[in-house]
Amino acid sequence: MFLAKRVRDVHRGERGSAMLVAIGMTAVAGIIAITITSSSLYAVGYTTSIRSGVQAQAAAEAGIDFAAAGLATAVCQAQYGPTLTEPKFTVNVSYSLQTVSTTGDNDTSWQTGCPTLAAKRVKLVSLGTATVLGLAGNSSGDTRKVEAVYPYAPTQPGTGAAIYSFAQTDATVNNLTIHATAGAPATVQYLSGSLNCTSGSVIDGSVILGLGGASLASGCEVNGDLFVSGSVNLQNSTVRGNVTADSGTYPSVSLAPSATILGSIYAGGPVKMQGATGGDIIAGPGMGTTNISGSVGGSVIASGNVSYSGPPRSPRNIVEGQNGMIAPTIPFVPGWLDYPFAPADQTRWASLGYTELSLTDCRAAPFRAAMNTVLTSTTPRVLNALGCGAGGVDFSLLTSATSTLKSNLVIVANAFDFSGNNLESSDGRDKSLWLIIPDRGPGGNPLEPPNRTTDCPPGGIFKMRNHVTVGSHVNALIYSPCNITNSADVWQGQIYAAGSQTANAFTLNYVPIGIPGYDFNTGLLINPSAPTTGVLGARTATRNIAVG
């Protein structure tokens, strides 16, 4: 009995010890499991945070590159993004009117938004977001913010027609060639005046005559549309677009048998068509009989009668006596834009980095010295020769027939005389040249309010004689409230004048330039605070900044 009891007591003690050992081992195993789990979670969080940080950094840097490319190729956006697909970034733009910071690291000159015409620097701040965020609550790598600073040179998009005339008194066009070299149609605009093309000319664009008619013969070609407020007469010529004439008298549009219009005819009155058109003939509301003996690719719709004796099955449809027709309209031709070269204009050039040189004596020696200074300058210059008076500047006084530009150049004078001169770029890179006779009103006051008409200064004229040539890397604008003469010249750029002589052979390679601060498309000032395109220089600073 005693031994049996003793054995039972021993067994009960052993069972208690085993239970304590088991509990202890379970606790140790739990601690180890928790430690392993915590370590694993930390490792996962750390690893994914590193991965997210790399992705976010790459996205932020991609945003910088994307915004920089956008600023250089299109009108600025104050913010780029947020992008919805990877790389995910949001880029905010700011600009400074200072070339360098004047307050050190604490630069307070930055203004939020797109750079203006006066901007000198651009700052891009890009917030990049990782594609896969960190796990286990570790979000330190989810976003990165990168800042980059660039020098900025704003560029105003060129505006205006290839040739603009306020009052074209010389209607004759002879061997005129206009090329559209910049991808934009090379429009010819006359606010008033007619066009009479007498021999082979090719206009690679459209012609708009605000107050006048057109006559094309002897192989003249318009590769765009022809718009006139008077009547149109085509003989042995081609218009590859449409012809629109709002004249209501007969014939509003006349085509000889050798004339071709590839597009349609829109006329305010009856048409006489002996040639060929690839489109429709719409004639009205002027009454009368539209006479057709040529080929029509489309339909004929007229408010008056239609007499057709052309090829069978042409046109597709003829409608006479159409009610409710309205006269066709021609595109808007802007009024004259007064450019006085006033103090505000001088300030604008200065804000764009142009340094002015004043010239009061344009005799041979001082003019040569001044031209040598501005032509050899590697920074943009303005040569103000208004102090020379009515005689202006005479390029025949230069010892070399070729003027070579190292940078952009503005020349302002009351008259210009070129004789066999050539204008070239020194390094094969494009340079811009502005030749300006300012319009300062009838009193010659630069502060006089604009009167929207040409005011040529006394003695003012723009002469081009003996084959003046502008090279392929110089884009030159002529602004003249006076008439322009021509003698078999080759020009690249634009002509904006009271009137231009095109009776002599002339070639114009159209490049839109405009004048900073002015819009030749509307004839108005441009808002100086409006977003612009520009050229970014080499990046001057980049850094990661804290995500706030």
Side-chain angles (χ1 to χ4, degrees), residues 1-41:
M1 294 281 296
F2 176 76
L3 289 175
K5 182 178 182 299
R6 182 66 177 167
V7 170
R8 287 194 298 272
D9 291 340
V10 170
H11 287 171
R12 279 196 297 269
E14 289 178 348
R15 288 197 299 270
S17 297
M19 185 174 294
L20 290 174
V21 171
I23 292 172
M25 292 181 66
T26 301
V28 170
I31 293 171
I32 293 173
I34 292 172
T35 302
I36 293 173
T37 301
S38 298
S39 298
S40 299
L41 290 173

Side-chain angles (χ1 to χ4, degrees), residues 357-359 365-375 383:
L357 172 64
S358 294
L359 180 64
F367 178 56
R368 291 170 186 166
M371 285 298 296
N372 181 68
T373 298
V374 296
L375 289 174
L383 177 59

Side-chain angles (χ1 to χ4, degrees), residues 38 56 139 163 183 195 197 245 266 305 320 402 433 442 480 493 512 537:
S38 298
S139 60
I163 296 179
L195 184 147
C197 185
Y266 301 95
N305 300 321
E320 300 178 278
T402 299
L433 173 65
S480 173

Side-chain angles (χ1 to χ4, degrees), residues 300-437:
V300 177
I301 301 175
S303 57
N305 300 321
V306 176
S307 173
Y308 181 78
S309 58
R313 301 180 182 176
S314 174
R316 293 196 302 259
N317 187 33
I318 295 178
V319 177
E320 300 178 278
Q322 178 67 45
N323 294 322
M325 297 186 71
I326 59 175
T329 58
I330 64 174
F332 169 74
V333 178
W336 178 254
L337 192 156
D338 297 273
Y339 183 77
F341 193 64
D345 300 314
Q346 295 173 273
T347 300
R348 185 176 293 109
W349 287 112
S351 71
L352 296 175
Y354 287 73
T355 305
E356 184 171 318
L357 172 64
S358 294
L359 180 64
T360 58
D361 185 349
C362 284
R363 291 177 295 179
F367 178 56
R368 291 170 186 166
M371 285 298 296
N372 181 68
T373 298
V374 296
L375 289 174
T376 58
S377 174
T378 56
T379 58
R381 300 301 299 265
V382 174
L383 177 59
N384 183 350
L386 293 175
C388 293
V393 294
D394 184 354
F395 276 69
S396 67
L397 298 176
L398 301 179
T399 56
S400 174
T402 299
S403 298
T404 304
L405 285 71
K406 287 191 174 181
S407 185
N408 296 344
L409 176 61
V410 184
I411 303 178
V412 185
N414 287 316
F416 287 84
D417 190 348
F418 287 88
S419 180
N421 299 101
N422 302 318
L423 300 166
E424 300 286 351
S425 169
S426 65
D427 55 8
R429 298 180 180 179
D430 288 350
K431 305 293 187 298
S432 294
L433 173 65
W434 290 265
L435 303 172
I436 297 172
I437 299 177

Side-chain angles (χ1 to χ4, degrees), residues 168 170-175 198-199 486 500-506:
Q168 186 71 14
D170 181 5
T172 303
V173 173
N174 177 32
N175 294 324
T198 60
S199 63
N486 158 57
S500 301
Q501 184 185 61
T502 51
N504 298 319
F506 180 62

Side-chain angles (χ1 to χ4, degrees), residues 10-261:
V10 170
H11 287 171
R12 279 196 297 269
E14 289 178 348
R15 288 197 299 270
S17 297
M19 185 174 294
L20 290 174
V21 171
I23 292 172
M25 292 181 66
T26 301
V28 170
I31 293 171
I32 293 173
I34 292 172
T35 302
I36 293 173
T37 301
S38 298
S39 298
S40 299
L41 290 173
Y42 174 79
V44 169
Y46 179 77
T47 301
T48 57
S49 176
I50 294 296
R51 177 189 61 191
S52 299
V54 171
Q55 292 177 348
Q57 182 73 23
E61 293 176 356
I64 293 289
D65 293 339
F66 180 86
L71 277 167
T73 58
V75 174
C76 166
Q77 298 174 212
Q79 184 181 86
Y80 294 86
T83 55
L84 301 178
T85 58
E86 55 183 286
K88 297 180 179 180
F89 57 78
T90 302
V91 185
N92 290 305
V93 180
S94 55
Y95 68 96
S96 171
L97 303 182
Q98 299 176 356
T99 305
V100 295
S101 172
T102 58
T103 55
D105 292 337
N106 184 27
D107 191 344
T108 58
S109 67
W110 294 109
Q111 302 180 45
T112 301
C114 287
T116 66
L117 285 172
K120 297 294 190 298
R121 288 181 296 156
V122 165
K123 180 171 68 175
L124 306 176
V125 178
S126 177
L127 178 66
T129 302
T131 304
V132 180
L133 304 181
L135 301 177
N138 198 330
S139 60
S140 60
D142 291 353
T143 56
R144 289 286 188 271
K145 187 178 285 188
V146 176
E147 175 187 282
V149 178
Y150 301 82
Y152 183 75
T155 58
Q156 176 187 316
T159 60
I163 296 179
Y164 174 95
S165 290
F166 175 72
Q168 186 71 14
T169 56
D170 181 5
T172 303
V173 173
N174 177 32
N175 294 324
L176 171 66
T177 302
I178 301 180
H179 297 297
T181 61
T187 306
V188 174
Q189 294 180 341
Y190 294 172
L191 184 61
S192 69
S194 297
L195 184 147
N196 182 20
C197 185
T198 60
S199 63
S201 298
V202 177
I203 298 173
D204 192 9
S206 298
V207 175
I208 307 174
L209 307 179
L211 292 171
S215 175
L216 278 65
S218 301
C220 295
E221 295 184 15
V222 176
N223 290 331
D225 298 322
L226 174 62
F227 300 94
V228 305
S229 61
S231 60
V232 174
N233 181 17
L234 303 183
Q235 300 178 24
N236 190 28
S237 56
T238 301
V239 176
R240 301 190 182 279
N242 300 322
V243 170
T244 301
D246 67 5
S247 169
T249 60
Y250 178 82
S252 179
V253 176
S254 175
L255 274 71
S258 55
T260 301
I261 297 174

